[in-house]
Amino acid sequence: QAAIRRWVAGAFPRNGGGTVDYDAPVGDPGLFDPDGATWRIHADFPGMLAGGLAALMLQTLHPLALAGVWDHSNFREDLLGRLRRTTTFVGGTTYAPHASAQALIERVRHIHDRVRGTTEDGRPYDANDPALLTWVHVTEAYSFLQGYRKYSHIDLPGGAADRYFDECRRVAEALGARDVPRSEAEVDAYFRAVRPTLAYTERTRTVLDILAQVRLPVPVASLSRDVFLHAGAALLPEWAVRMLRRTPAQRARARMAAHALWSMAPVFRLALTEGIAAHACRRVGRDPRELHRW
């Protein structure tokens, strides 16, 4: 357990180099209800990490969203850094006090102001485009929820998925997203509507190749260095598995990795008792163990 704590602290620093204080001001719940679905789902580290990787894979299928990453980020040299920044943003907007969470949103809005250009085929893109913001949000929220379902060892109560989508859309809307799905049925309908605009391109293949080469440091010597990546692939919807041209061998590795991560997930929970979610719970007078009960 000590090895897991050291690994998480090193691989995903609490503040990502920032100065967010998760202990004060006392009583400030931030953007979300501490008794809601978002605090519980985002507290599951294995599901969130695997879900973040699944979301990256899904996002490679949107040519406009991918163009912004291609033209304005250093993903070729630091794809893991992009995952860390996403983790910091999601954790901060979930658990930080209200002012700090709003500051994180404003910082991302400011970054988006500079991300615009044209795709290879001449179509304009803008990171502030409400449709692109909705796409990024839905792929992440969907993947985090699937990660929770697959790896948390906790049964999701009826209606909890709809509560989650309805809650977490407020961050996307604060960034400028519009018509954000607020239920599981609306997410399914959204994916059906957007699929004709998605494509597997040469850029998709390139980013996936780079992602496949990322080797997260692991807390246990016997654990494969790419287990989280393949466990993330296990969360993809079947239509995305086909579009991403996942081979039978890759599908088999995803199943094996999913089993390995599911087996290890309880150890992560026992080890990670002092993360930002626990600090946020104490800030609002909650027992952190309540995050693992519905």
Side-chain angles (χ1 to χ4, degrees):
Q1 293 179 18
I4 290 177
R5 285 193 293 270
R6 288 193 299 271
W7 173 71
V8 173
F12 300 95
R14 177 186 297 179
N15 292 331
T19 57
V20 175
D21 183 354
Y22 288 91
D23 297 305
V26 174
D28 184 338
L31 300 181
F32 295 99
D33 179 358
D35 296 320
T38 304
W39 272 41
R40 287 173 167 81
I41 290 169
H42 289 184
D44 180 60
F45 179 82
M48 290 295 287
L49 181 51
L53 289 161
L56 282 178
M57 296 179 212
L58 279 171
Q59 288 165 15
T60 67
L61 291 171
H62 198 302
L64 297 180
L66 185 54
V69 174
W70 190 273
D71 294 340
H72 296 274
S73 81
N74 64 340
F75 74 92
R76 298 166 186 82
E77 297 80 29
D78 190 23
L79 194 57
L80 182 56
R82 177 178 170 82
L83 181 61
R84 286 192 179 107
R85 290 188 291 274
T86 298
T87 301
T88 298
F89 179 77
V90 173
T93 52
T94 303
Y95 297 113
H98 194 273
S100 295
Q102 290 287 3
L104 286 168
I105 290 171
E106 288 306 311
R107 180 175 181 273
V108 170
R109 287 176 64 94
H110 181 68
I111 292 170
H112 284 175
D113 287 340
R114 304 191 299 269
V115 179
R116 55 173 59 92
T118 55
T119 63
E120 291 179 292
D121 58 6
R123 286 179 292 167
Y125 68 82
D126 186 330
N128 286 320
D129 179 352
L132 293 186
L133 291 164
T134 298
W135 164 254
V136 172
H137 166 76
V138 174
T139 55
E140 291 178 354
Y142 171 87
S143 300
F144 294 151
L145 178 64
Q146 299 311 312
Y148 185 88
R149 280 177 161 151
K150 200 166 190 72
Y151 302 122
S152 72
H153 291 242
I154 300 172
D155 290 332
L156 203 65
D162 288 348
R163 287 172 57 199
Y164 173 64
F165 285 123
D166 192 37
E167 288 175 13
C168 68
R169 67 187 170 90
R170 70 188 57 174
V171 173
E173 291 171 346
L175 287 170
R178 296 292 179 267
D179 301 319
V180 183
R182 60 180 65 200
S183 69
E184 196 156 29
E186 289 187 8
V187 168
D188 290 342
Y190 170 82
F191 278 137
R192 286 194 299 272
V194 79
R195 277 166 62 182
T197 69
L198 306 180
Y200 182 98
T201 66
E202 183 61 23
R203 287 183 172 183
T204 303
R205 186 195 61 76
T206 298
V207 176
L208 291 176
D209 285 348
I210 294 171
L211 186 58
Q213 295 166 21
V214 169
R215 294 294 182 264
L216 290 168
V218 293
V220 180
S222 61
L223 191 64
S224 169
R225 293 177 69 86
D226 57 5
V227 67
F228 283 101
L229 178 62
H230 290 292
L235 304 176
L236 295 168
E238 181 57 32
W239 61 262
V241 170
R242 294 192 300 269
M243 286 195 72
L244 290 167
R245 304 179 184 180
R246 302 278 299 173
T247 67
Q250 288 174 322
R251 294 182 186 217
R253 290 193 71 179
R255 290 191 294 270
M256 290 187 290
H259 178 73
L261 186 56
W262 185 89
S263 299
M264 283 201 63
V267 181
F268 277 92
R269 179 178 300 166
L270 290 172
L272 302 177
T273 57
E274 287 301 320
I276 61 175
H279 283 259
C281 281
R282 297 189 185 104
R283 188 181 75 238
V284 297
R286 299 290 199 281
D287 184 339
R289 291 174 294 185
E290 293 178 9
L291 292 178
H292 305 299
R293 297 191 291 264
W294 288 85

